[in-house]
Amino acid sequence: MSQANQTLTYLFAEMADVLEILGVDRFRVNAFRRASRVLDGLTDDIASIGPDIKALTGIEGIGRGTAQRIAEFLETGNISDRGELMSQIPGGLIELLSIPGLGPKTIGLIWKQAGVESLDDLKEQLQHDDLAELPGLGPKKLENIRKSISFSESSGDRVHLGTAMSLARWFVSKFIEFDDVQQVEYAGSLRRGQETIGDIDLIVAADPKSAKTISNAFKSLPPVTEVLVNGTTKTSVRTTDGLQVDLRIVPPESYGAALMYFTGSKEHNIVMRQRAISRKMRLNEYGLLKGKMTVAGRTEKEIYRALDLAPIPPELREDRGEFNLAESDELPALIKLSDIRSELHAHTTASDGKWTIKELALAAAERGFHTIAITDHSKGQAQANGLTNERLEQHILEIRQVADQLKKKITILAGSEVDILSDGKLDYPNSLLEQLDVVVASPHAALSQDPKKATTRLMQAIDNPHITILGHPTGRLLLRREGLSPDMRQVITAAYERGIAIEINANTWRLDLRDTHARAAIEAGVKLAINTDAHGPGDLDQLLYGVVTARRAGATKHDIVNCLSREALNRWIKGTK
Ligand code: DGT
Ligand code: CA
Ligand code: CA
Ligand code: ZN
């Protein structure tokens, strides 16, 4: 999603939340929520439409008031109403909005009726049960809120990989436009592809004489709300979505050294410095030095080479065995985004997706995929409009029809994302599952089950003769809920014996299997699937996060079933039956 779309999606949702906390003006709450949803699903970059009221109101779901606010944002980088709204509630309430299970209505209630103005106030009141007396809050709900608070506190102020990635890419695209910037890249945990990100680190190569100009230009970019560190070569800012961005400007001859230093990980850097020392050299963010002479520094590659290593991809820089491989030039040829040729998990309007079968298939064909599996939810997912047995039968017929129409463009497979019920049974009878080409089986409910039960549950699902892929195996939502903690070794062994694949769900909320488990699966010889679980426009772009996670696991294209040719994929699927 474009940066402006993303920021506006967030701002309108936040304004709707604040209005709801205030408990006034239902009408405006709905208008802001709608605006946020529309912007979230918008394929065009709103910035390219521009501050033209007529063009903006031409977008379905955008009224005049919303259009004026969008135009104001595009012109000034701000919405003045937002400041006005914010001033009407205690600042500490905003923080409460990020606690799962605590909506704006409840926040309004505990603020007005119990005087809660901040997270600290809430935590204090949660020590006893007085809040349980308020309408709509019982002891059970309070217990859930306590659990959510402790979970979000343990995850800190981090954001999803996708949130940081789109913001960082936007900054990089701006820097490329500056004449004085010779090279620019994001570093840190983001470049290593970690599942959540603490802050964004940007490295720019430029003549030191232009550092001041570049730093000033950076500080005046629209998403910047606050300057935290105001130096010439180091500048830190906070952006509209609360994320910190650190910018370092270095001379071109140190660019590789700085990029390496700030990419980390710390553990990787420690080993690198030791290697330098054992060769009578020194490595720091300025370069690799022997006495007063610079041996390398302009590129990362020349530094690795000078230390007798093959260049190590950022995703592997965790001191988890990459040095042995790099010494003997045996680093895996990591999978690339362009190696992915098919999508095996996607939803349509039949359940909770926004695309019809045809729209989804055409979008997949446009990306160059040769195959897409349509996998809507099963009946247990009532809130997601899951398909009853009868509706699935009907849906299969429709899929076959569209498949026939589009067969010259793309192969469409009939599938289902069938629920793994809490006891491990699948949500459709085998007589129905056997009519499908692809069965992705995933857990959606009973996700706080104890690890033993979770293990048995997944093993039971893997035993089903019709399963093709075990979908998002833990059901975790990053920074929100932990999900199941099954014994992954047992699950991996079972998947290997059955010959099915395990999914890396590429959605930035999930990244499930996680990197370390994906690595264990690959080492055990299990095939992985990288699927976006697309529900609408833009979702196919999340594929990148799944690929990055697979790269952290050391995956090559041979480990991933989505990289197979059409014929080989077909054979592999048949082999799982
Ligand atoms: P994050 O931001 O928490 O997601 O994780 P990182 O890895 O991006 O950490 P960050 O932003 O604090 O620093 C970026 C990189 O810079 C880090 O991976 C290693 C390097 N670095 C930062 N501070 C130090 C330090 O004090 N010592 C060493 N050796 N490296 C550091
Ligand atoms: Ca960082
Ligand atoms: Ca940082
Ligand atoms: Zn799904």
Side-chain angles (χ1 to χ4, degrees), residues 1-61:
M1 206 194 314
S2 89
Q3 187 52 44
N5 294 25
Q6 192 172 325
T7 306
L8 280 163
T9 298
Y10 172 84
L11 291 178
F12 278 108
E14 190 183 60
M15 290 194 291
D17 286 342
V18 173
L19 277 168
E20 219 170 342
I21 292 175
L22 287 164
V24 290
D25 206 350
R26 216 37 264 160
F27 179 75
R28 269 212 301 168
V29 174
N30 290 337
F32 287 164
R33 288 246 183 273
R34 197 176 329 113
S36 177
R37 261 200 316 274
V38 168
L39 287 156
D40 189 31
L42 200 63
T43 338
D44 297 327
D45 182 355
I46 195 92
S48 70
I49 297 172
D52 171 356
I53 304 291
K54 213 159 158 207
L56 290 170
T57 48
I59 303 170
E60 196 180 319

Side-chain angles (χ1 to χ4, degrees), residues 361-430:
L362 289 175
E366 182 122 320
R367 280 195 85 93
F369 290 174
H370 58 63
T371 299
I372 177 143
I374 307 293
T375 60
D376 280 295
H377 286 290
S378 63
K379 56 180 182 276
Q381 290 299 298
Q383 80 294 345
N385 190 23
L387 277 62
T388 58
N389 298 5
E390 296 70 34
R391 283 185 63 213
L392 177 59
E393 285 187 23
Q394 190 56 41
H395 194 42
I396 295 174
L397 294 178
E398 272 174 52
I399 296 170
R400 303 272 182 234
Q401 233 168 28
V402 182
D404 196 48
Q405 271 174 33
L406 298 183
K407 65 172 180 265
K408 292 220 173 85
K409 287 201 159 77
I410 189 165
T411 301
I412 305 178
L413 301 177
S416 165
E417 181 183 22
V418 60
D419 240 37
I420 303 176
L421 304 175
S422 61
D423 60 0
K425 290 205 181 71
L426 302 189
D427 197 19
Y428 289 126
N430 284 350

Side-chain angles (χ1 to χ4, degrees), residues 345-347 351-352 375-377 416-417 440 442 444 472 503 505 510 532-535:
H345 178 174
H347 300 265
S351 61
D352 59 348
T375 60
D376 280 295
H377 286 290
S416 165
E417 181 183 22
V440 179
S442 9
H444 290 99
H472 55 67
E503 175 180 84
N505 191 295
R510 295 193 182 273
T532 66
D533 198 351
H535 281 74

Side-chain angles (χ1 to χ4, degrees), residues 104-165:
K105 263 208 208 92
T106 312
I107 296 174
L109 182 78
I110 57 178
W111 166 42
K112 289 180 211 155
Q113 311 259 343
V116 170
E117 297 198 344
S118 66
L119 182 58
D120 283 339
D121 287 355
L122 176 61
K123 282 187 347 202
E124 198 184 308
Q125 297 228 21
L126 283 171
Q127 287 175 7
H128 44 84
D129 264 343
D130 293 358
L131 288 176
E133 311 289 314
L134 294 176
L137 287 175
K140 190 151 177 224
K141 182 140 189 203
L142 289 190
E143 192 44 40
N144 283 337
I145 294 173
R146 281 189 200 102
K147 274 196 197 141
S148 293
I149 291 178
S150 70
F151 185 70
S152 27
E153 286 188 337
S154 67
S155 38
D157 282 334
R158 305 184 68 79
V159 301
H160 293 135
L161 176 62
T163 309
M165 185 79 90

Side-chain angles (χ1 to χ4, degrees), residues 61-273:
I62 302 285
R64 200 174 167 78
T66 305
Q68 278 163 346
R69 292 181 179 95
I70 295 175
E72 186 192 352
F73 174 83
L74 292 174
E75 277 171 338
T76 67
N78 207 349
I79 300 178
S80 44
D81 274 2
R82 174 170 175 256
E84 210 169 289
L85 277 173
M86 289 296 183
S87 68
Q88 295 179 48
I89 63 165
L93 292 186
I94 292 295
E95 189 181 10
L96 296 183
L97 283 168
S98 63
I99 296 169
L102 199 58
K105 263 208 208 92
T106 312
I107 296 174
L109 182 78
I110 57 178
W111 166 42
K112 289 180 211 155
Q113 311 259 343
V116 170
E117 297 198 344
S118 66
L119 182 58
D120 283 339
D121 287 355
L122 176 61
K123 282 187 347 202
E124 198 184 308
Q125 297 228 21
L126 283 171
Q127 287 175 7
H128 44 84
D129 264 343
D130 293 358
L131 288 176
E133 311 289 314
L134 294 176
L137 287 175
K140 190 151 177 224
K141 182 140 189 203
L142 289 190
E143 192 44 40
N144 283 337
I145 294 173
R146 281 189 200 102
K147 274 196 197 141
S148 293
I149 291 178
S150 70
F151 185 70
S152 27
E153 286 188 337
S154 67
S155 38
D157 282 334
R158 305 184 68 79
V159 301
H160 293 135
L161 176 62
T163 309
M165 185 79 90
S166 39
L167 185 61
R169 289 184 150 195
W170 183 85
F171 274 113
V172 166
S173 73
K174 287 292 149 192
F175 277 116
I176 289 174
E177 291 171 9
F178 298 164
D179 285 342
D180 296 327
V181 169
Q182 300 184 20
Q183 268 171 297
V184 54
E185 202 149 349
Y186 53 79
S189 52
L190 181 59
R191 185 155 177 254
R192 302 198 312 280
Q194 253 182 225
E195 60 194 31
T196 63
I197 305 299
D199 67 13
I200 295 176
D201 304 280
L202 298 172
I203 313 296
V204 158
D207 185 324
K209 283 197 287 256
S210 51
K212 193 82 223 157
T213 319
I214 296 171
S215 160
N216 285 337
F218 172 57
K219 286 180 290 189
S220 61
L221 288 170
V224 173
T225 54
E226 193 186 340
V227 178
L228 305 168
V229 177
N230 194 6
T232 312
T233 56
K234 176 174 177 180
T235 313
S236 286
V237 301
R238 200 175 293 291
T239 60
T240 20
D241 34 15
L243 205 60
Q244 183 177 326
V245 183
D246 293 345
L247 168 70
R248 285 165 183 97
I249 303 170
V250 301
E253 59 274 18
S254 291
Y255 181 67
L259 191 57
M260 176 183 282
Y261 181 91
F262 292 109
T263 295
S265 67
K266 211 163 157 183
E267 292 71 20
H268 180 88
N269 286 354
I270 289 172
V271 178
M272 288 296 285
R273 277 199 299 274

Side-chain angles (χ1 to χ4, degrees), residues 313 316 325 330-334 554-556:
L316 296 180
L325 295 172
E330 286 172 309
L331 287 165
L334 297 182
T556 71

Side-chain angles (χ1 to χ4, degrees), residues 345 440 469-473 501-505 512-513 528-529 531:
H345 178 174
V440 179
I469 296 169
L470 176 64
H472 55 67
I502 306 182
E503 175 180 84
I504 296 177
N505 191 295
D512 180 16
L513 278 184
L528 299 175
N531 292 324

Side-chain angles (χ1 to χ4, degrees), residues 441-484:
S442 9
H444 290 99
L447 296 174
S448 34
Q449 211 166 35
D450 75 64
K452 253 210 179 107
K453 272 199 186 138
T455 311
T456 328
R457 174 186 189 180
L458 296 186
M459 306 276 277
Q460 167 106 21
I462 292 171
D463 267 345
N464 181 290
H466 302 292
I467 179 176
T468 324
I469 296 169
L470 176 64
H472 55 67
T474 73
R476 74 170 177 176
L477 289 181
L478 285 163
L479 306 174
R480 179 146 298 199
R481 78 175 176 227
E482 219 169 319
L484 302 171

